[in-house]
Amino acid sequence: MTTTGATEIVGRGNRDGARLFRQWFAELNDTAENGGQAAYVFVMGSLAEILRVFDLPMVFPEINSLQTAVRRIAHEYLNEAEDYGYSPDICGYVKADVALQLRGGDHPMGLIPKPTVAVLTNACNTYIKWAEIWERMYHVPVFTLDVPGTRMAGGQTWAGDQDFENDHRYVVAQLKELIALCEDVTGRRFDIDRFRDVLQNASRMNRSWKRVLELNRNRPSLFNAVTDGTVYLGVANGFKGTEEGSRYFEELVEEMEFKAANHIGTLTEEQYRLIFVGVPCYPIFRRFNEMFTEWGGTFPTSTYLLFASGGTNHGFEYDLNRPIESLAEGLLISVRDAMDNMFYQDQVLVKMIDDYAIDGVVYHPIKSCRTVSTGLADNRRAVMASRDVATLFIESDMMDRRVVSEAQLKNRIDAYFEGLASRKRRLAESVS
Ligand code: SF4
């Protein structure tokens, strides 16, 4: 490939991701201005596969909220919700959304439409209380898909197992209820052929997302799970089931394969390969990442890439001959996987350490998301008992800059890298 070709392909995922994001929010803005219908959904089990059949534009309030933090105005929204009566302790995403609703949908990327219906899963308990707020504000129907979780300490059951088959029937029945609800809300009939098209696109995206994650086992790593990964996650959620989203991920595979073949890493000199555990520090997003990259540290993978994609990483491919049953099967496997990547993270991390040749694990528990932060100290102990890796435990927040101390974070991160450097030296001396 020529230099021009390389310039076109390297970084394409980030460029196209930003373009798709703007396009998505422009469409939401048009919907809001024209008073159109919209579904409010969440990243862990959006049920895009069904909602797209009804052409319901999807609003991801979690993504709206994190965008306010990346744009450094989250505190305005948080203060407004706290003045309204919400506690400083609860999920910051919820509060930013409450303020956004109080402002009539005013968001830095455009106007956000009001919900016609809210669709959620039980993957996070906050989802359930959050949807009740919209129910009270707008009197819209709320549909909660109850996905039975893993019962055996991180060990899933699979098709053929009696437990799985029972759970599967339960999810199929719920999906049929959702279809009936969407028919009722939109006044449209469910089109099974359209559904098959959507599932086919979703399969293409799932397959490619899995491949992109695998390709980052490469040394040097090809993308940064914290920064680039957040762009990819946005597209995975916002464009699931669409031709554009599937093409985006197929092209992303092509970009990563090109980088692997040409030894183009995300850093010029990769020194340390780290796993990021938790949700990023969005109020100082760029600077937070630089504190690691300045030392030659990068994140080939993270638990965030798994749970915030709703288990898309599993690469589930739908059987178009039995579409509803197959979607139920895919949801059981993927949403459970997303939950396991929060609740059984020690097992996930040990596998990642081996697969990605990891030097260290960075734990980032955050004040306003208990779901992913609870138990991380125990998790750290379990991982260290199982693998000889250096770990770092730093606390801040994904939304609230009042609890983010940049200087304190930098001190802890610098000390961590000094420790990693001396470990590396000792290891080299013992080998020579
Ligand atoms: S997973 Fe955390 S950030 Fe997301 S809705 Fe639940 S509590 Fe909030």
Side-chain angles (χ1 to χ4, degrees), residues 44 62 91 93 124 126-127 130 368-372 398:
M44 291 189 282
E62 293 152 298
C91 170
Y93 285 174
C124 170
T126 298
Y127 287 175
W130 193 344
S368 59
C369 174
R370 303 287 154 82
T371 309
V372 296
M398 85 285 199

Side-chain angles (χ1 to χ4, degrees), residues 95-171:
K95 282 186 292 183
D97 174 64
V98 166
L100 180 137
Q101 302 303 337
L102 293 174
R103 293 176 179 203
D106 180 25
H107 185 273
M109 292 186 72
L111 206 58
I112 304 296
K114 292 184 176 52
T116 311
V117 59
V119 177
L120 53 140
T121 66
N122 56 327
C124 170
N125 52 356
T126 298
Y127 287 175
I128 295 162
K129 303 311 289 177
W130 193 344
E132 286 174 6
I133 299 174
W134 304 321
E135 204 174 21
R136 282 196 300 273
M137 279 182 167
Y138 302 112
H139 309 287
V140 292
V142 169
F143 176 88
T144 309
L145 179 76
D146 181 21
V147 181
T150 296
R151 278 91 139 182
M152 299 184 303
Q156 283 208 20
T157 53
W158 301 95
D161 182 290
Q162 193 54 50
D163 279 346
F164 186 93
E165 298 306 334
N166 292 343
D167 293 345
H168 182 232
R169 274 201 307 281
Y170 178 48
V171 175

